[in-house]
């Protein structure tokens, strides 16, 4: 029997999530190609795109047709084709905490008087979604705006016992991303963190995923500038061209860019982007500078600009420049769809805990033993195919 799989999205009204929903609808209608979907050629065992459905939470109550038009990702023809289905999709009230994400507002929130009540509400949403849509499989994906950093080695996220105690005590150190992840795991729902926010990478939640044998993956989707780095840097290393400095800057004007305009949220993002280069090259690049700037007029059209200073044979210096004029959501949405398909497959196979072979999709991949991840894209592709 053909499987039906749902994607429960945190931040379902955002640019990436609405592009996911529209993309699945257009694929179902046969009105778009599979360009950009890395696993479109892999039919065996993966759920067909047309058999997927999307729902989820957002602090903004707009239906997905209204939301996607606001984001400006799709053209008029695509909007017209997908609009009817998207207009019927309305976000569920979300868990929100402005102390974790200051620049994103919205009052479409779950009214809960405790963290335990919030978890119960999330689990009820998942259970209702599974029943109403008659789903064979369900995956949760975090596409919410980036939260500020949280210390995972101390406090409520340091161990499962500490987390359970913190939930009972309404500990202020437990953010929304961690609450959603905890609820998903307790509900037996595979979870992917496509953001830099702390979630299943925290020791407490890794422990829970392992204990309950629920597949998890993350964190921070690898889409634009970091994708370029993980393709270029291995080649520079192979040719023994020493990187003396690498300056990277990004400008974007969508809701994600607005969230990253907050220094706390931006710091979380820079943490996941910054470690990639040194790990690939095998030495620290002292002058590795990464900047992210919110520039409203660009909307979802992100520009990623890199200039690389190289040292070659006989000490001669060279430069490499990359200017990637990309579409943020057009790059991210197909990865979210493929991650959901792979996590559903892991569930059906009985593979629980960290799914290390999904590292190709993330800037800061999780590893089974918690050790350093592989960042080079060609090696990650080998792991995925193995």
């Amino acid at each position: 029997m053909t499987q039906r799989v749902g994607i429960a999205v945190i931040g379902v009204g955002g640019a990436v999530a609405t592009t996911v929903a529209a993309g699945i609808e257009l694929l179902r209608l046969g009105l778009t190609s599979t360009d950009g979907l890395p696993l479109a050629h892999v039919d065996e065992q993966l759920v067909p795109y047309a058999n997927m459905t999307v729902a989820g939470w957002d602090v903004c109550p707009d239906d997905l047709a209204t939301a996607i038009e606001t984001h400006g990702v799709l053209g008029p023809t695509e909007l017209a084709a997908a609009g009817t289905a998207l207009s019927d999709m309305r976000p569920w009230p979300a868990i929100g905490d402005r102390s974790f994400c200051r620049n994103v507002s919205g009052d479409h929130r779950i009214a809960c008087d405790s963290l335990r009540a919030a978890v119960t509400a999330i689990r009820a949403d998942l259970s209702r979604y599974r029943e109403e849509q008659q789903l064979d499989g369900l995956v949760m994906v975090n596409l919410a705006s980036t939260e500020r950093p949280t210390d995972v080695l101390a406090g409520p996220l340091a161990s499962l016992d500490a987390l359970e105690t913190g939930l009972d005590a309404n500990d202020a150190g437990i953010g929304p991303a961690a609450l959603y992840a905890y609820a998903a795991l307790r509900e037996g729902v595979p979870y992917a963190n496509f953001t830099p926010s702390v979630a299943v990478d925290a020791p407490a939640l890794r422990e829970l995923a392992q204990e309950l044998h629920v597949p998890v993956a993350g964190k921070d989707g690898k889409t634009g500038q970091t994708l370029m780095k993980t393709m270029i840097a291995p080649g520079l290393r192979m040719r023994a061209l020493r990187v003396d400095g690498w300056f990277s800057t990004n400008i974007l004007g969508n809701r994600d860019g607005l969230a990253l305009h907050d220094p706390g949220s931006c710091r979380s993002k820079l943490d996941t982007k910054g470690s990639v280069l040194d790990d690939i090259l095998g030495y620290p690049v002292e002058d590795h500078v990464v900047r992210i700037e919110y520039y409203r007029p660009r909307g979802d059209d992100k520009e990623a600009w890199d200039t690389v200073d190289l040292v070659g044979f006989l000490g001669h210096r060279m430069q490499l420049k990359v200017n990637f004029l990309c579409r943020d959501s057009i790059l991210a949405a197909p990865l979210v769809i493929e991650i959901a398909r792979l996590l559903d497959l892991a569930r059906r196979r009985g593979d629980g805990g960290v799914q290390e072979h999904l590292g190709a999709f993330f800037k800061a991949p999780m590893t089974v033993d918690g050790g350093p991840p592989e960042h080079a894209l060609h090696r990650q592709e080998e792991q995925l195919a193995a």
Side-chain angles (χ1 to χ4, degrees):
M1 187 176 80
T2 302
Q3 297 286 307
R4 181 170 166 80
V5 174
I7 311 176
V9 179
I10 313 163
V12 74
V16 175
T18 52
T19 305
V20 169
I24 288 174
E25 177 63 11
L26 292 171
L27 286 164
R28 185 184 69 80
L29 295 172
L31 297 178
T32 190
S33 72
T34 55
D35 291 343
L37 288 158
L39 302 180
H41 63 287
V42 181
D43 295 325
E44 185 180 359
Q45 298 186 350
L46 292 175
V47 63
Y49 300 117
N51 291 13
M52 304 181 79
T53 181
V54 177
W57 306 265
D58 205 281
V59 295
C60 178
D62 290 344
D63 65 79
L64 268 56
T66 301
I68 199 168
E69 189 170 1
T70 301
H71 297 310
V73 177
L74 301 190
T77 302
E78 297 162 320
L79 286 172
T84 300
L86 295 183
S87 64
D88 292 334
M89 301 179 186
R90 292 188 174 274
W92 311 323
I95 299 295
D97 186 340
R98 288 186 176 89
S99 71
F100 279 84
C101 191
R102 288 191 287 263
N103 277 8
V104 174
S105 60
D107 296 322
H108 191 56
R109 298 171 186 262
I110 300 173
C112 295
D113 57 5
S114 70
L115 297 183
R116 287 288 185 190
V119 169
T120 298
I122 296 168
R123 294 185 65 176
D125 286 335
L126 292 170
S127 179
R128 185 183 65 254
Y129 181 38
R130 184 188 282 119
E131 181 177 346
E132 289 179 351
Q133 293 293 321
Q134 298 182 333
L135 300 174
D136 302 292
L138 178 57
V139 176
M140 184 187 291
V141 180
N142 185 7
L143 294 178
S145 298
T146 302
E147 298 178 2
R148 63 169 171 79
T150 302
D151 185 0
V152 299
L153 300 180
L157 298 179
S159 70
L160 183 54
D161 286 342
L163 177 57
E164 299 290 0
T165 300
L167 289 170
D168 291 333
N170 293 319
D171 195 307
I174 303 174
L179 289 175
Y180 278 107
Y182 177 87
L185 296 177
R186 285 296 183 192
E187 200 64 24
V189 173
Y191 177 96
N193 185 15
F194 207 74
T195 81
S197 304
V198 169
V200 284
D201 56 305
L205 291 162
R206 287 178 63 105
E207 183 181 344
L208 183 61
Q210 190 65 35
E211 178 182 303
L212 299 179
H213 206 62
V214 179
V216 296
K219 71 179 184 178
D220 198 4
K222 181 160 70 175
T223 54
Q225 190 171 64
T226 305
L227 174 66
M228 294 294 104
K229 282 185 179 177
T230 61
M231 290 193 289
I232 294 170
L236 297 177
R237 176 174 178 169
M238 183 183 71
R239 293 292 181 168
L241 295 171
R242 182 170 183 84
V243 176
D244 194 38
W246 196 309
F247 182 91
S248 301
T249 191
N250 300 261
I251 57 173
L252 70 164
N254 58 16
R255 192 163 73 173
D256 189 39
L258 179 60
L260 295 174
H261 201 47
D262 171 64
S265 295
C266 189
R267 190 163 65 252
S268 293
K269 188 76 170 181
L270 294 178
D271 285 346
T272 61
K273 290 169 74 73
S275 63
V276 170
L277 193 57
D278 293 356
D279 290 345
I280 291 176
L281 295 174
Y283 55 84
V285 178
E286 183 177 350
D287 293 291
H288 181 201
V289 179
V290 182
R291 293 181 180 172
I292 304 171
E293 302 291 343
Y294 174 62
Y295 182 55
R296 183 192 54 78
R298 281 299 171 90
D300 202 63
D301 293 339
K302 181 168 70 173
E303 181 167 359
W305 182 76
D306 293 82
T307 183
V308 187
D309 286 280
L310 304 170
V311 180
F313 190 48
L314 304 178
H316 283 259
R317 303 184 66 83
M318 295 168 281
Q319 290 187 352
L320 170 67
K321 297 186 185 295
V322 180
N323 191 16
F324 191 12
L325 301 170
C326 54
R327 302 293 304 278
D328 202 33
S329 298
I330 296 300
L331 289 171
L335 302 189
V336 171
I337 294 170
E338 300 295 30
I339 290 166
R341 296 172 80 210
L342 288 166
L343 284 177
D344 173 68
L345 177 61
R347 174 194 62 82
R348 285 186 277 121
R349 285 178 168 176
D351 298 333
V354 174
Q355 304 298 297
E356 188 169 337
H357 62 288
L358 302 192
F361 298 107
F362 299 101
K363 292 185 183 72
M366 296 176 64
T367 58
V368 172
D369 62 3
E374 177 60 67
H375 286 292
L377 189 64
H378 67 289
R379 293 202 180 110
Q380 291 178 324
E381 185 180 24
E382 292 171 358
Q383 292 177 343
L384 180 61

